[in-house]
Amino acid sequence: MAVLYGADAVYLAGRRFGMRASAVNFSDEKLREAVAYAHAQGVKVYVTCNTLPREEELEELPEYLAFLQDAGADALIIADLGVLALARKYAPKLKRHVSTQFGVINSAAANELYSLGADTVVLARETPLEDIRRIRANTPPQLRIEAFVHGAMCVSFSGRCLLSADSAPSPAAGSTISWRRSARGSISRSARTAARTS
Protein backbone atom coordinates (compact mmCIF):
# COMPACT_ATOMS: atom_id res chain seq x y z
CA MET A 1 0.00 0.00 0.00
CA ALA A 2 2.87 2.38 0.74
CA VAL A 3 4.19 1.87 -2.79
CA LEU A 4 0.76 2.24 -4.38
CA TYR A 5 0.17 5.49 -2.52
CA GLY A 6 3.38 7.07 -3.76
CA ALA A 7 6.12 6.33 -1.21
CA ASP A 8 9.61 6.70 -2.68
CA ALA A 9 11.04 4.42 0.01
CA VAL A 10 9.68 1.94 2.52
CA TYR A 11 11.22 0.34 5.56
CA LEU A 12 10.48 -3.17 6.67
CA ALA A 13 11.89 -5.95 8.81
CA GLY A 14 12.91 -9.52 8.29
CA ARG A 15 12.37 -12.13 10.96
CA ARG A 16 15.79 -11.57 12.50
CA PHE A 17 17.46 -8.54 14.09
CA GLY A 18 14.39 -6.29 13.94
CA MET A 19 13.06 -4.48 17.04
CA ARG A 20 9.41 -5.26 16.34
CA ALA A 21 9.76 -8.94 17.17
CA SER A 22 6.03 -9.40 17.89
CA ALA A 23 5.11 -8.30 14.35
CA VAL A 24 4.64 -10.78 11.52
CA ASN A 25 7.74 -9.69 9.64
CA PHE A 26 8.99 -10.77 6.22
CA SER A 27 10.45 -14.24 5.74
CA ASP A 28 13.65 -14.29 3.68
CA GLU A 29 11.70 -15.35 0.59
CA LYS A 30 9.00 -12.70 1.07
CA LEU A 31 11.64 -10.06 1.74
CA ARG A 32 13.25 -10.83 -1.63
CA GLU A 33 9.82 -10.55 -3.28
CA ALA A 34 9.09 -7.24 -1.53
CA VAL A 35 12.41 -5.75 -2.64
CA ALA A 36 11.85 -6.89 -6.23
CA TYR A 37 8.31 -5.46 -6.22
CA ALA A 38 9.38 -2.13 -4.75
CA HIS A 39 12.33 -1.78 -7.14
CA ALA A 40 10.07 -2.53 -10.12
CA GLN A 41 8.08 0.55 -9.03
CA GLY A 42 11.19 2.67 -8.51
CA VAL A 43 10.89 2.51 -4.71
CA LYS A 44 13.81 1.92 -2.32
CA VAL A 45 13.70 -0.59 0.52
CA TYR A 46 15.37 -0.02 3.89
CA VAL A 47 15.57 -3.07 6.16
CA THR A 48 15.70 -2.72 9.92
CA CYS A 49 18.65 -4.36 11.57
CA ASN A 50 18.07 -2.34 14.71
CA THR A 51 18.28 -4.75 17.61
CA LEU A 52 21.14 -4.63 20.10
CA PRO A 53 22.39 -8.16 19.49
CA ARG A 54 23.69 -10.25 22.36
CA GLU A 55 27.05 -11.95 22.06
CA GLU A 56 25.60 -15.30 20.96
CA GLU A 57 23.47 -13.61 18.29
CA LEU A 58 26.51 -12.12 16.56
CA GLU A 59 27.37 -15.47 14.96
CA GLU A 60 24.43 -15.36 12.54
CA LEU A 61 24.59 -11.62 11.83
CA PRO A 62 27.27 -11.71 9.06
CA GLU A 63 25.25 -14.25 7.05
CA TYR A 64 22.07 -12.22 7.49
CA LEU A 65 23.74 -8.98 6.42
CA ALA A 66 25.17 -10.70 3.33
CA PHE A 67 21.68 -12.06 2.57
CA LEU A 68 20.16 -8.57 2.77
CA GLN A 69 22.73 -7.27 0.31
CA ASP A 70 22.09 -10.21 -2.02
CA ALA A 71 18.32 -9.65 -1.75
CA GLY A 72 18.86 -6.14 -3.10
CA ALA A 73 17.95 -4.00 -0.09
CA ASP A 74 19.03 -0.39 -0.50
CA ALA A 75 19.97 0.37 3.10
CA LEU A 76 20.05 -0.97 6.61
CA ILE A 77 18.57 0.83 9.63
CA ILE A 78 21.05 0.26 12.47
CA ALA A 79 21.04 1.09 16.20
CA ASP A 80 24.29 -0.54 17.37
CA LEU A 81 27.97 0.26 16.74
CA GLY A 82 28.88 -3.41 16.34
CA VAL A 83 26.16 -3.92 13.74
CA LEU A 84 27.38 -0.80 11.93
CA ALA A 85 30.91 -2.24 11.78
CA LEU A 86 29.73 -5.69 10.66
CA ALA A 87 27.45 -4.17 8.00
CA ARG A 88 30.43 -2.33 6.57
CA LYS A 89 32.30 -5.62 6.30
CA TYR A 90 29.57 -8.07 5.22
CA ALA A 91 27.19 -5.82 3.27
CA PRO A 92 29.47 -3.08 1.91
CA LYS A 93 27.16 -2.17 -0.98
CA LEU A 94 24.29 -1.23 1.33
CA LYS A 95 23.87 2.23 2.74
CA ARG A 96 23.91 2.42 6.51
CA HIS A 97 21.25 4.53 8.22
CA VAL A 98 21.65 5.12 11.95
CA SER A 99 18.29 4.67 13.67
CA THR A 100 16.59 7.25 15.88
CA GLN A 101 16.95 4.61 18.60
CA PHE A 102 20.71 5.23 18.63
CA GLY A 103 19.95 8.52 20.41
CA VAL A 104 22.05 11.00 18.41
CA ILE A 105 21.44 14.54 19.69
CA ASN A 106 24.63 16.38 18.69
CA SER A 107 27.00 16.90 15.78
CA ALA A 108 29.95 15.20 17.53
CA ALA A 109 28.08 11.88 17.59
CA ALA A 110 26.79 12.34 14.04
CA ASN A 111 30.29 13.12 12.74
CA GLU A 112 31.77 10.08 14.47
CA LEU A 113 29.10 7.82 13.02
CA TYR A 114 29.83 9.27 9.58
CA SER A 115 33.52 8.45 10.04
CA LEU A 116 32.49 4.87 10.88
CA GLY A 117 30.52 4.49 7.66
CA ALA A 118 27.04 5.87 8.29
CA ASP A 119 25.37 7.50 5.27
CA THR A 120 22.35 8.82 7.18
CA VAL A 121 21.74 9.69 10.82
CA VAL A 122 18.16 9.86 12.06
CA LEU A 123 18.31 12.09 15.10
CA ALA A 124 16.77 11.22 18.46
CA ARG A 125 13.05 11.96 18.60
CA GLU A 126 13.43 14.58 21.32
CA THR A 127 15.91 16.73 19.34
CA PRO A 128 14.59 20.33 19.18
CA LEU A 129 14.31 22.04 15.80
CA GLU A 130 17.02 24.58 16.63
CA ASP A 131 19.42 21.76 17.53
CA ILE A 132 18.59 20.00 14.26
CA ARG A 133 19.63 23.17 12.41
CA ARG A 134 22.90 23.35 14.37
CA ILE A 135 23.68 19.68 13.80
CA ARG A 136 23.08 20.12 10.09
CA ALA A 137 25.40 23.14 10.02
CA ASN A 138 28.16 21.22 11.83
CA THR A 139 28.17 17.98 9.85
CA PRO A 140 29.44 17.15 6.35
CA PRO A 141 26.95 17.81 3.54
CA GLN A 142 27.45 14.20 2.37
CA LEU A 143 25.93 12.95 5.63
CA ARG A 144 22.17 12.91 5.43
CA ILE A 145 20.58 14.24 8.64
CA GLU A 146 16.97 13.28 9.24
CA ALA A 147 14.45 13.99 11.97
CA PHE A 148 12.00 11.36 13.14
CA VAL A 149 8.65 13.14 12.96
CA HIS A 150 6.56 10.06 13.64
CA GLY A 151 7.19 10.62 17.34
CA ALA A 152 5.59 8.30 19.85
CA MET A 153 2.26 8.29 18.02
CA CYS A 154 1.44 4.96 16.49
CA VAL A 155 -0.26 5.52 13.15
CA SER A 156 0.70 2.39 11.28
CA PHE A 157 0.14 -1.30 11.84
CA SER A 158 3.27 -2.77 13.33
CA GLY A 159 2.92 -5.75 15.57
CA ARG A 160 0.25 -5.22 18.21
CA CYS A 161 -0.12 -1.53 17.55
CA LEU A 162 -3.84 -1.38 16.76
CA LEU A 163 -6.71 -2.97 18.58
CA SER A 164 -9.61 -4.39 16.64
CA ALA A 165 -12.58 -2.06 16.32
CA ASP A 166 -14.74 -4.20 18.63
CA SER A 167 -12.15 -4.17 21.45
CA ALA A 168 -11.71 -0.40 21.68
CA PRO A 169 -14.17 1.84 23.53
CA SER A 170 -16.41 4.02 21.40
CA PRO A 171 -15.23 7.63 20.90
CA ALA A 172 -17.24 10.50 22.24
CA ALA A 173 -19.34 12.39 19.72
CA GLY A 174 -17.28 14.92 17.80
CA SER A 175 -13.93 13.23 18.48
CA THR A 176 -11.64 11.00 16.52
CA ILE A 177 -9.85 8.56 18.79
CA SER A 178 -7.00 6.25 17.91
CA TRP A 179 -6.42 3.35 20.30
CA ARG A 180 -3.20 1.40 20.36
CA ARG A 181 -1.56 -1.23 22.48
CA SER A 182 2.06 -0.79 23.50
CA ALA A 183 4.63 -3.59 23.38
CA ARG A 184 4.01 -4.12 27.11
CA GLY A 185 0.29 -4.69 26.53
CA SER A 186 -1.03 -1.43 28.01
CA ILE A 187 -3.51 0.59 26.02
CA SER A 188 -3.02 4.25 25.23
CA ARG A 189 -5.28 6.71 23.49
CA SER A 190 -4.94 9.87 21.48
CA ALA A 191 -7.90 12.06 20.72
CA ARG A 192 -8.55 14.91 18.34
CA THR A 193 -11.75 16.89 18.60
CA ALA A 194 -13.38 17.36 15.25
CA ALA A 195 -13.78 20.95 14.01
CA ARG A 196 -17.36 22.03 14.26
CA THR A 197 -18.96 23.80 11.35
CA SER A 198 -22.22 25.66 11.81
Side-chain angles (χ1 to χ4, degrees):
M1 294 307 291
V3 171
L4 292 174
Y5 277 87
D8 61 359
V10 295
Y11 80 88
L12 51 84
R15 295 201 174 147
R16 297 178 278 172
F17 300 103
M19 279 264 192
R20 297 189 186 275
S22 63
V24 181
N25 293 318
F26 289 78
S27 67
D28 289 357
E29 179 185 339
K30 291 295 184 185
L31 194 144
R32 280 188 190 276
E33 290 176 17
V35 171
Y37 171 77
H39 285 178
Q41 311 301 317
V43 174
K44 293 182 179 180
V45 176
Y46 307 148
V47 180
T48 59
C49 208
N50 60 349
T51 59
L52 307 178
R54 297 186 183 277
E55 193 63 26
E56 67 272 12
E57 295 173 304
L58 288 178
E59 290 181 16
E60 69 176 270
L61 186 56
E63 175 271 325
Y64 185 61
L65 293 168
F67 159 73
L68 293 175
Q69 179 171 287
D70 185 65
D74 296 285
L76 301 170
I77 300 174
I78 297 169
D80 178 80
L81 274 178
V83 175
L84 182 63
L86 290 171
R88 220 172 151 176
K89 182 175 182 181
Y90 293 101
K93 295 179 183 174
L94 298 186
K95 292 189 176 294
R96 292 169 291 278
H97 296 188
V98 174
S99 171
T100 187
Q101 292 153 329
F102 200 97
V104 176
I105 59 169
N106 61 60
S107 60
N111 285 325
E112 188 61 25
L113 289 163
Y114 177 67
S115 75
L116 295 172
D119 304 282
T120 299
V121 170
V122 184
L123 300 174
R125 297 176 191 195
E126 62 272 17
T127 310
L129 183 57
E130 190 51 44
D131 285 358
I132 294 170
R133 290 187 182 110
R134 289 183 185 132
I135 292 166
R136 174 69 282 169
N138 291 305
T139 51
Q142 300 87 346
L143 175 64
R144 191 169 171 181
I145 298 292
E146 294 184 350
F148 194 93
V149 297
H150 191 193
M153 292 295 296
C154 189
V155 296
S156 59
F157 182 78
S158 53
R160 295 170 20 159
C161 181
L162 301 177
L163 295 174
S164 63
D166 56 357
S167 65
S170 299
S175 296
T176 301
I177 298 181
S178 167
W179 291 88
R180 60 199 184 279
R181 184 184 302 270
S182 75
R184 293 180 201 76
S186 63
I187 298 172
S188 57
R189 178 180 79 167
S190 61
R192 181 182 70 236
T193 304
R196 302 198 184 278
T197 55
S198 54

